[in-house]
Structure formats: C-alpha cells, structure tokens
Amino acid sequence: MVQTRSRPYRPCSPVTTIPERPAATVSPFLDLPPLSAADFAAIEDQVAALLHTEADVIVTQGEALLPLEAAIRSAAHPGSTALNIVTGPYGQTFGNWLRDCGAEVVDLAVPFDSAVTAEQVAAALREHPAIDFVSLVHAEAATGNTNPVAGIAAAVREHGALLMLDAVASVAAEPLLTDAWGIDLCVIGGQKAMGGPAGVSAVSVSERAWERIAANPAAPRRSYLSLLDWKERWTDAGRAVLPHAPAQLEMLALGACLDRISTDGLPAVIARHRAAASATRAGVRALGTLTPFVLRDEDAAPVATTLRTPPGLHAAELAARLDPALPVQPGGGALAAEMLRVNHYGAAATLPTVRACLTALAEATGADAGPALAAAEAAWQTGHSPE
Ligand SMILES: *Cc1c(COP(=O)(O)O)cnc(C)c1O
C-alpha cells in the first residue's frame, strides 16, 4: 500500500540539528546513574510481595503482552491441550498464540457481560481430561468483568493443569493471592491500578511451571520471549549481573509506584478502586439513560466500568460529546457501537473523577445529574471501607 505523507520523505538526508520541543524539560530523565542489579532485584522483590508470592518473579522489559506471550510460548507445544477461557478480547488473543504453538485448544467462551464460573471450568476439564494448561484473564478492562479466580484455580489444580493468569487489570484493584490460589504464571503490568508505567511488566513462575517449561522442547531459548534465559542468566545466577541494559526509566517508575502503593497501603488502594466501581455503577443506574454493561455487581471489575449506550446512540458519538480529558472511551472491536468504558484506575480511582464522569454523562444523555451524584456518593462511602 502506498502511504501518503504530509511531508516529503527524504531517505538519506543527514540530521544536522534536532529540533527542540516547545518547553521541553528533559533534564530529570537524562544522565542518570545506571540501574544496578541490586535495584532491579529489589523491584522484583516488591512485585513478589504485591502478588503475595514466594515464587520467582521476573520483571520483563516490555509491555504486559511480552510476558503473556512468553508464558504461553514457554508452556504450550504440539501435543499439549489448553483450555482457553474467553471472557473478553485478551482471551481471544491467547487462543491465537496457543494455536500458533501447535497446542490443541478448547475455548470456553462466556458472554462478555458476565463472568465464567468455577463450575463451568470444572465441567470443561472433566470433558477434556487431556487439558494440561489453562489461560484465564482475571479482570478485563475492555469488557469490565472480573472472574472468580480462587474457585477456578482450585478446579485447575485438582485437574493437575498449569494456570496462567492475566492480572494486568486486577493487580492493585482487587485481591490477587498468587500462591494461596495456586496460580502458576501470574502476569501483571504497571499501567492500570498501580498507576505506573506501561513499558515494563512482570510474571511470577511457580516451581511446577518451571519444571513444565524446562521439559518443553518448544519453549523459546536465546530469545526475547524466553523465560528460561532469564532464569538461567539472572534468577539462578544469583541476580548479580543483569543480562542486558534494563529499561531504566520504566524500572524507576515501577519502583516509584510500588513505593507509593506500599506507603498508601495495598488494602486502601484496592478499596479506592472498589469504591470507584460501585459508585460509578450506582450513579449510572440512577441516571437512567445508560446501563451497566456487566449485568451482576459481583462480576463487575473494580478497574473500569463499562456501560451500554441507549439504542440508536453510537458510543463514539456519545464519547465525542464528552470532555476528552475525562477517562471515558468508546469500547473496542465488536462492542465499539454499543459500549462506553469509564476507566477509574490509578489516579482516576477517586470520588471527584467519578463525579466528573457522571456529570458529563448526564449532560451528554439529557439526564439529571443530581440523583446520580447522590447515589454515587452513598455507594462510595459503603464501598470504600476496607474489609
Ligand atoms: C490493559 C490490559 C492489558 C494490557 O494491555 P494494554 O492495552 O496494552 O494496556 C492486558 N490484559 C488485560 C486483561 C488488560 O486489561
């Protein structure tokens, strides 16, 4: 395809000057001392504490899709059978990688406005005894649902399969008990409830998972996707020398957001997200013009609230009526027309942000904001008290 460019493309023109950005303040990010192996290891230990795990944690140098793909390619192979639980778009992505690895894939899909149950998972495992790997998304920011991981993990453990959990949208927004639940590969990213960077991510790897990955001849080696390379060159080598230069700025930001979670207290951060979700749902119900997309409160993710737009009103059209500074966006993919997503994670998990979103949604749909704000405030108070 021929690309049209707004400026003529000159292939080999030598760069003589770098244009200055207006009002650029670059100094805090430059000339930093290198991130030491000890700093890197300390950040991994912080992540392990956040995940409530004593398993190995690798802080991966890329967005969370890197450890998700690495975990799947490390565990899956021709001859293996995977149960892929699809409760939103990420589940679909995992299915494609699993098939690409030559695994037999059993898809267990549920409507995106609900959650999968432990009983459904147990039934699928009984029906397909060969299943040796299960991929599951904890919370899906794109669809706004969250799955009951504890019960699902118990069923998977009883069956003897490995469990990979995508906890990018649940970490710091809701309880995540990696070891107690029995999650073998737990993947997180910093960019949602942690309020941190998107450029680094992490995966915890259980002893069972390491054994299975080491026995998989198809597991990536000498590759950016290789968990085994990290184990060999970093974790098992005593974390003394980094295998290559880390993404320093993202690592510093990850460390900073972990410090902040530690200062605020994880239960308080989780309570803030839960309160933001219940206040948004209560407020939207009081509006009357929009409805929560996820039907049952217990299936609704604390990280983001998805909304169904009124018939005849396209979500993109509704979103265009809102202040672009608000954390509201139209849904993606097949749900683009009928779904609006209110993100209330990180710095947006506050009552003022929830109020601002509800006020704007009231205005844009011709509803009265008063009852919605009152309902949101009442739900915020109830939802905010830490358990
Ligand atoms: C947000 C998210 C990710 C990371 O994807 P980005 O779109 O790059 O932020 C991965 N998995 C789930 C379930 C997510 O919600």
Side-chain angles (χ1 to χ4, degrees), residues 90-107:
Y90 286 96
Q92 288 166 340
T93 301
F94 302 163
N96 293 338
W97 283 332
L98 287 162
R99 285 184 185 86
D100 193 43
C101 292
E104 196 68 44
V105 182
V106 177
D107 281 313

mmCIF file with all atom_site columns, all heavy atoms in Angstrom, residues 90-107:
data_model
loop_
_atom_site.group_PDB
_atom_site.id
_atom_site.type_symbol
_atom_site.label_atom_id
_atom_site.label_alt_id
_atom_site.label_comp_id
_atom_site.label_asym_id
_atom_site.label_entity_id
_atom_site.label_seq_id
_atom_site.pdbx_PDB_ins_code
_atom_site.Cartn_x
_atom_site.Cartn_y
_atom_site.Cartn_z
_atom_site.occupancy
_atom_site.B_iso_or_equiv
_atom_site.pdbx_formal_charge
_atom_site.auth_seq_id
_atom_site.auth_comp_id
_atom_site.auth_asym_id
_atom_site.auth_atom_id
_atom_site.pdbx_PDB_model_num
ATOM 1   N N   . TYR A 1 90  ? -8.796  -10.227 25.372 1.00 0.00 ? 90  TYR A N   1
ATOM 2   C CA  . TYR A 1 90  ? -7.481  -10.816 25.646 1.00 0.00 ? 90  TYR A CA  1
ATOM 3   C C   . TYR A 1 90  ? -7.524  -12.332 25.553 1.00 0.00 ? 90  TYR A C   1
ATOM 4   O O   . TYR A 1 90  ? -6.572  -12.953 25.075 1.00 0.00 ? 90  TYR A O   1
ATOM 5   C CB  . TYR A 1 90  ? -6.929  -10.340 26.991 1.00 0.00 ? 90  TYR A CB  1
ATOM 6   C CG  . TYR A 1 90  ? -6.470  -8.913  26.886 1.00 0.00 ? 90  TYR A CG  1
ATOM 7   C CD1 . TYR A 1 90  ? -7.293  -7.866  27.269 1.00 0.00 ? 90  TYR A CD1 1
ATOM 8   C CD2 . TYR A 1 90  ? -5.239  -8.613  26.320 1.00 0.00 ? 90  TYR A CD2 1
ATOM 9   C CE1 . TYR A 1 90  ? -6.896  -6.550  27.110 1.00 0.00 ? 90  TYR A CE1 1
ATOM 10  C CE2 . TYR A 1 90  ? -4.833  -7.308  26.151 1.00 0.00 ? 90  TYR A CE2 1
ATOM 11  C CZ  . TYR A 1 90  ? -5.665  -6.277  26.550 1.00 0.00 ? 90  TYR A CZ  1
ATOM 12  O OH  . TYR A 1 90  ? -5.272  -4.986  26.368 1.00 0.00 ? 90  TYR A OH  1
ATOM 13  N N   . GLY A 1 91  ? -8.612  -12.939 26.010 1.00 0.00 ? 91  GLY A N   1
ATOM 14  C CA  . GLY A 1 91  ? -8.764  -14.384 25.884 1.00 0.00 ? 91  GLY A CA  1
ATOM 15  C C   . GLY A 1 91  ? -8.671  -14.823 24.429 1.00 0.00 ? 91  GLY A C   1
ATOM 16  O O   . GLY A 1 91  ? -8.075  -15.858 24.111 1.00 0.00 ? 91  GLY A O   1
ATOM 17  N N   . GLN A 1 92  ? -9.212  -14.011 23.536 1.00 0.00 ? 92  GLN A N   1
ATOM 18  C CA  . GLN A 1 92  ? -9.135  -14.344 22.107 1.00 0.00 ? 92  GLN A CA  1
ATOM 19  C C   . GLN A 1 92  ? -7.684  -14.315 21.631 1.00 0.00 ? 92  GLN A C   1
ATOM 20  O O   . GLN A 1 92  ? -7.234  -15.185 20.892 1.00 0.00 ? 92  GLN A O   1
ATOM 21  C CB  . GLN A 1 92  ? -10.006 -13.379 21.300 1.00 0.00 ? 92  GLN A CB  1
ATOM 22  C CG  . GLN A 1 92  ? -11.495 -13.647 21.515 1.00 0.00 ? 92  GLN A CG  1
ATOM 23  C CD  . GLN A 1 92  ? -12.410 -12.541 21.014 1.00 0.00 ? 92  GLN A CD  1
ATOM 24  O OE1 . GLN A 1 92  ? -11.980 -11.407 20.819 1.00 0.00 ? 92  GLN A OE1 1
ATOM 25  N NE2 . GLN A 1 92  ? -13.678 -12.862 20.839 1.00 0.00 ? 92  GLN A NE2 1
ATOM 26  N N   . THR A 1 93  ? -6.940  -13.323 22.076 1.00 0.00 ? 93  THR A N   1
ATOM 27  C CA  . THR A 1 93  ? -5.515  -13.224 21.711 1.00 0.00 ? 93  THR A CA  1
ATOM 28  C C   . THR A 1 93  ? -4.752  -14.458 22.181 1.00 0.00 ? 93  THR A C   1
ATOM 29  O O   . THR A 1 93  ? -3.938  -15.028 21.449 1.00 0.00 ? 93  THR A O   1
ATOM 30  C CB  . THR A 1 93  ? -4.900  -11.962 22.362 1.00 0.00 ? 93  THR A CB  1
ATOM 31  O OG1 . THR A 1 93  ? -5.621  -10.832 21.909 1.00 0.00 ? 93  THR A OG1 1
ATOM 32  C CG2 . THR A 1 93  ? -3.434  -11.803 22.001 1.00 0.00 ? 93  THR A CG2 1
ATOM 33  N N   . PHE A 1 94  ? -5.021  -14.889 23.419 1.00 0.00 ? 94  PHE A N   1
ATOM 34  C CA  . PHE A 1 94  ? -4.295  -16.044 23.956 1.00 0.00 ? 94  PHE A CA  1
ATOM 35  C C   . PHE A 1 94  ? -4.588  -17.298 23.130 1.00 0.00 ? 94  PHE A C   1
ATOM 36  O O   . PHE A 1 94  ? -3.695  -18.105 22.881 1.00 0.00 ? 94  PHE A O   1
ATOM 37  C CB  . PHE A 1 94  ? -4.676  -16.308 25.422 1.00 0.00 ? 94  PHE A CB  1
ATOM 38  C CG  . PHE A 1 94  ? -4.425  -15.138 26.332 1.00 0.00 ? 94  PHE A CG  1
ATOM 39  C CD1 . PHE A 1 94  ? -5.025  -15.058 27.584 1.00 0.00 ? 94  PHE A CD1 1
ATOM 40  C CD2 . PHE A 1 94  ? -3.579  -14.108 25.938 1.00 0.00 ? 94  PHE A CD2 1
ATOM 41  C CE1 . PHE A 1 94  ? -4.789  -13.980 28.412 1.00 0.00 ? 94  PHE A CE1 1
ATOM 42  C CE2 . PHE A 1 94  ? -3.345  -13.017 26.766 1.00 0.00 ? 94  PHE A CE2 1
ATOM 43  C CZ  . PHE A 1 94  ? -3.959  -12.954 28.008 1.00 0.00 ? 94  PHE A CZ  1
ATOM 44  N N   . GLY A 1 95  ? -5.833  -17.464 22.718 1.00 0.00 ? 95  GLY A N   1
ATOM 45  C CA  . GLY A 1 95  ? -6.205  -18.615 21.902 1.00 0.00 ? 95  GLY A CA  1
ATOM 46  C C   . GLY A 1 95  ? -5.394  -18.663 20.615 1.00 0.00 ? 95  GLY A C   1
ATOM 47  O O   . GLY A 1 95  ? -4.931  -19.723 20.190 1.00 0.00 ? 95  GLY A O   1
ATOM 48  N N   . ASN A 1 96  ? -5.186  -17.488 20.018 1.00 0.00 ? 96  ASN A N   1
ATOM 49  C CA  . ASN A 1 96  ? -4.411  -17.444 18.776 1.00 0.00 ? 96  ASN A CA  1
ATOM 50  C C   . ASN A 1 96  ? -2.957  -17.860 19.005 1.00 0.00 ? 96  ASN A C   1
ATOM 51  O O   . ASN A 1 96  ? -2.384  -18.612 18.223 1.00 0.00 ? 96  ASN A O   1
ATOM 52  C CB  . ASN A 1 96  ? -4.451  -16.037 18.165 1.00 0.00 ? 96  ASN A CB  1
ATOM 53  C CG  . ASN A 1 96  ? -5.843  -15.677 17.675 1.00 0.00 ? 96  ASN A CG  1
ATOM 54  O OD1 . ASN A 1 96  ? -6.671  -16.558 17.416 1.00 0.00 ? 96  ASN A OD1 1
ATOM 55  N ND2 . ASN A 1 96  ? -6.129  -14.392 17.573 1.00 0.00 ? 96  ASN A ND2 1
ATOM 56  N N   . TRP A 1 97  ? -2.363  -17.399 20.106 1.00 0.00 ? 97  TRP A N   1
ATOM 57  C CA  . TRP A 1 97  ? -0.976  -17.798 20.396 1.00 0.00 ? 97  TRP A CA  1
ATOM 58  C C   . TRP A 1 97  ? -0.898  -19.293 20.670 1.00 0.00 ? 97  TRP A C   1
ATOM 59  O O   . TRP A 1 97  ? 0.031   -19.964 20.229 1.00 0.00 ? 97  TRP A O   1
ATOM 60  C CB  . TRP A 1 97  ? -0.457  -17.037 21.625 1.00 0.00 ? 97  TRP A CB  1
ATOM 61  C CG  . TRP A 1 97  ? -0.079  -15.621 21.378 1.00 0.00 ? 97  TRP A CG  1
ATOM 62  C CD1 . TRP A 1 97  ? 0.362   -15.085 20.203 1.00 0.00 ? 97  TRP A CD1 1
ATOM 63  C CD2 . TRP A 1 97  ? -0.103  -14.555 22.332 1.00 0.00 ? 97  TRP A CD2 1
ATOM 64  N NE1 . TRP A 1 97  ? 0.619   -13.737 20.374 1.00 0.00 ? 97  TRP A NE1 1
ATOM 65  C CE2 . TRP A 1 97  ? 0.349   -13.390 21.662 1.00 0.00 ? 97  TRP A CE2 1
ATOM 66  C CE3 . TRP A 1 97  ? -0.449  -14.454 23.671 1.00 0.00 ? 97  TRP A CE3 1
ATOM 67  C CZ2 . TRP A 1 97  ? 0.459   -12.158 22.312 1.00 0.00 ? 97  TRP A CZ2 1
ATOM 68  C CZ3 . TRP A 1 97  ? -0.332  -13.238 24.305 1.00 0.00 ? 97  TRP A CZ3 1
ATOM 69  C CH2 . TRP A 1 97  ? 0.103   -12.102 23.640 1.00 0.00 ? 97  TRP A CH2 1
ATOM 70  N N   . LEU A 1 98  ? -1.858  -19.807 21.436 1.00 0.00 ? 98  LEU A N   1
ATOM 71  C CA  . LEU A 1 98  ? -1.840  -21.240 21.776 1.00 0.00 ? 98  LEU A CA  1
ATOM 72  C C   . LEU A 1 98  ? -1.905  -22.092 20.512 1.00 0.00 ? 98  LEU A C   1
ATOM 73  O O   . LEU A 1 98  ? -1.168  -23.072 20.361 1.00 0.00 ? 98  LEU A O   1
ATOM 74  C CB  . LEU A 1 98  ? -3.007  -21.569 22.708 1.00 0.00 ? 98  LEU A CB  1
ATOM 75  C CG  . LEU A 1 98  ? -2.857  -21.051 24.148 1.00 0.00 ? 98  LEU A CG  1
ATOM 76  C CD1 . LEU A 1 98  ? -4.204  -21.037 24.866 1.00 0.00 ? 98  LEU A CD1 1
ATOM 77  C CD2 . LEU A 1 98  ? -1.849  -21.915 24.910 1.00 0.00 ? 98  LEU A CD2 1
ATOM 78  N N   . ARG A 1 99  ? -2.779  -21.705 19.591 1.00 0.00 ? 99  ARG A N   1
ATOM 79  C CA  . ARG A 1 99  ? -2.898  -22.460 18.329 1.00 0.00 ? 99  ARG A CA  1
ATOM 80  C C   . ARG A 1 99  ? -1.613  -22.357 17.537 1.00 0.00 ? 99  ARG A C   1
ATOM 81  O O   . ARG A 1 99  ? -1.141  -23.317 16.942 1.00 0.00 ? 99  ARG A O   1
ATOM 82  C CB  . ARG A 1 99  ? -4.082  -21.921 17.505 1.00 0.00 ? 99  ARG A CB  1
ATOM 83  C CG  . ARG A 1 99  ? -5.406  -22.366 18.055 1.00 0.00 ? 99  ARG A CG  1
ATOM 84  C CD  . ARG A 1 99  ? -6.597  -21.925 17.203 1.00 0.00 ? 99  ARG A CD  1
ATOM 85  N NE  . ARG A 1 99  ? -7.809  -22.319 17.901 1.00 0.00 ? 99  ARG A NE  1
ATOM 86  C CZ  . ARG A 1 99  ? -8.406  -21.588 18.836 1.00 0.00 ? 99  ARG A CZ  1
ATOM 87  N NH1 . ARG A 1 99  ? -7.944  -20.390 19.143 1.00 0.00 ? 99  ARG A NH1 1
ATOM 88  N NH2 . ARG A 1 99  ? -9.478  -22.023 19.471 1.00 0.00 ? 99  ARG A NH2 1
ATOM 89  N N   . ASP A 1 100 ? -1.038  -21.157 17.544 1.00 0.00 ? 100 ASP A N   1
ATOM 90  C CA  . ASP A 1 100 ? 0.203   -20.917 16.836 1.00 0.00 ? 100 ASP A CA  1
ATOM 91  C C   . ASP A 1 100 ? 1.328   -21.810 17.378 1.00 0.00 ? 100 ASP A C   1
ATOM 92  O O   . ASP A 1 100 ? 2.245   -22.191 16.643 1.00 0.00 ? 100 ASP A O   1
ATOM 93  C CB  . ASP A 1 100 ? 0.563   -19.432 17.023 1.00 0.00 ? 100 ASP A CB  1
ATOM 94  C CG  . ASP A 1 100 ? 1.652   -18.977 16.087 1.00 0.00 ? 100 ASP A CG  1
ATOM 95  O OD1 . ASP A 1 100 ? 1.577   -19.354 14.904 1.00 0.00 ? 100 ASP A OD1 1
ATOM 96  O OD2 . ASP A 1 100 ? 2.569   -18.275 16.536 1.00 0.00 ? 100 ASP A OD2 1
ATOM 97  N N   . CYS A 1 101 ? 1.266   -22.158 18.663 1.00 0.00 ? 101 CYS A N   1
ATOM 98  C CA  . CYS A 1 101 ? 2.275   -23.040 19.282 1.00 0.00 ? 101 CYS A CA  1
ATOM 99  C C   . CYS A 1 101 ? 1.994   -24.505 18.978 1.00 0.00 ? 101 CYS A C   1
ATOM 100 O O   . CYS A 1 101 ? 2.735   -25.374 19.444 1.00 0.00 ? 101 CYS A O   1
ATOM 101 C CB  . CYS A 1 101 ? 2.274   -22.874 20.803 1.00 0.00 ? 101 CYS A CB  1
ATOM 102 S SG  . CYS A 1 101 ? 2.866   -21.294 21.359 1.00 0.00 ? 101 CYS A SG  1
ATOM 103 N N   . GLY A 1 102 ? 0.923   -24.784 18.276 1.00 0.00 ? 102 GLY A N   1
ATOM 104 C CA  . GLY A 1 102 ? 0.610   -26.161 17.927 1.00 0.00 ? 102 GLY A CA  1
ATOM 105 C C   . GLY A 1 102 ? -0.196  -26.896 18.981 1.00 0.00 ? 102 GLY A C   1
ATOM 106 O O   . GLY A 1 102 ? -0.400  -28.111 18.877 1.00 0.00 ? 102 GLY A O   1
ATOM 107 N N   . ALA A 1 103 ? -0.652  -26.196 20.008 1.00 0.00 ? 103 ALA A N   1
ATOM 108 C CA  . ALA A 1 103 ? -1.458  -26.855 21.050 1.00 0.00 ? 103 ALA A CA  1
ATOM 109 C C   . ALA A 1 103 ? -2.874  -27.090 20.541 1.00 0.00 ? 103 ALA A C   1
ATOM 110 O O   . ALA A 1 103 ? -3.378  -26.353 19.686 1.00 0.00 ? 103 ALA A O   1
ATOM 111 C CB  . ALA A 1 103 ? -1.493  -25.999 22.302 1.00 0.00 ? 103 ALA A CB  1
ATOM 112 N N   . GLU A 1 104 ? -3.478  -28.136 21.077 1.00 0.00 ? 104 GLU A N   1
ATOM 113 C CA  . GLU A 1 104 ? -4.914  -28.373 20.875 1.00 0.00 ? 104 GLU A CA  1
ATOM 114 C C   . GLU A 1 104 ? -5.620  -27.368 21.793 1.00 0.00 ? 104 GLU A C   1
ATOM 115 O O   . GLU A 1 104 ? -5.256  -27.260 22.964 1.00 0.00 ? 104 GLU A O   1
ATOM 116 C CB  . GLU A 1 104 ? -5.204  -29.804 21.355 1.00 0.00 ? 104 GLU A CB  1
ATOM 117 C CG  . GLU A 1 104 ? -6.509  -30.398 20.919 1.00 0.00 ? 104 GLU A CG  1
ATOM 118 C CD  . GLU A 1 104 ? -6.531  -30.663 19.421 1.00 0.00 ? 104 GLU A CD  1
ATOM 119 O OE1 . GLU A 1 104 ? -5.533  -31.189 18.859 1.00 0.00 ? 104 GLU A OE1 1
ATOM 120 O OE2 . GLU A 1 104 ? -7.566  -30.311 18.831 1.00 0.00 ? 104 GLU A OE2 1
ATOM 121 N N   . VAL A 1 105 ? -6.575  -26.586 21.268 1.00 0.00 ? 105 VAL A N   1
ATOM 122 C CA  . VAL A 1 105 ? -7.185  -25.552 22.114 1.00 0.00 ? 105 VAL A CA  1
ATOM 123 C C   . VAL A 1 105 ? -8.674  -25.798 22.295 1.00 0.00 ? 105 VAL A C   1
ATOM 124 O O   . VAL A 1 105 ? -9.412  -25.969 21.322 1.00 0.00 ? 105 VAL A O   1
ATOM 125 C CB  . VAL A 1 105 ? -6.960  -24.137 21.526 1.00 0.00 ? 105 VAL A CB  1
ATOM 126 C CG1 . VAL A 1 105 ? -7.561  -23.078 22.444 1.00 0.00 ? 105 VAL A CG1 1
ATOM 127 C CG2 . VAL A 1 105 ? -5.477  -23.871 21.325 1.00 0.00 ? 105 VAL A CG2 1
ATOM 128 N N   . VAL A 1 106 ? -9.084  -25.857 23.550 1.00 0.00 ? 106 VAL A N   1
ATOM 129 C CA  . VAL A 1 106 ? -10.511 -25.912 23.891 1.00 0.00 ? 106 VAL A CA  1
ATOM 130 C C   . VAL A 1 106 ? -10.882 -24.505 24.355 1.00 0.00 ? 106 VAL A C   1
ATOM 131 O O   . VAL A 1 106 ? -10.344 -24.020 25.352 1.00 0.00 ? 106 VAL A O   1
ATOM 132 C CB  . VAL A 1 106 ? -10.765 -26.928 25.029 1.00 0.00 ? 106 VAL A CB  1
ATOM 133 C CG1 . VAL A 1 106 ? -12.239 -26.930 25.416 1.00 0.00 ? 106 VAL A CG1 1
ATOM 134 C CG2 . VAL A 1 106 ? -10.283 -28.314 24.638 1.00 0.00 ? 106 VAL A CG2 1
ATOM 135 N N   . ASP A 1 107 ? -11.756 -23.825 23.620 1.00 0.00 ? 107 ASP A N   1
ATOM 136 C CA  . ASP A 1 107 ? -12.184 -22.480 24.025 1.00 0.00 ? 107 ASP A CA  1
ATOM 137 C C   . ASP A 1 107 ? -13.432 -22.590 24.885 1.00 0.00 ? 107 ASP A C   1
ATOM 138 O O   . ASP A 1 107 ? -14.408 -23.243 24.509 1.00 0.00 ? 107 ASP A O   1
ATOM 139 C CB  . ASP A 1 107 ? -12.502 -21.623 22.792 1.00 0.00 ? 107 ASP A CB  1
ATOM 140 C CG  . ASP A 1 107 ? -11.243 -21.079 22.132 1.00 0.00 ? 107 ASP A CG  1
ATOM 141 O OD1 . ASP A 1 107 ? -10.370 -20.562 22.857 1.00 0.00 ? 107 ASP A OD1 1
ATOM 142 O OD2 . ASP A 1 107 ? -11.137 -21.177 20.896 1.00 0.00 ? 107 ASP A OD2 1
#
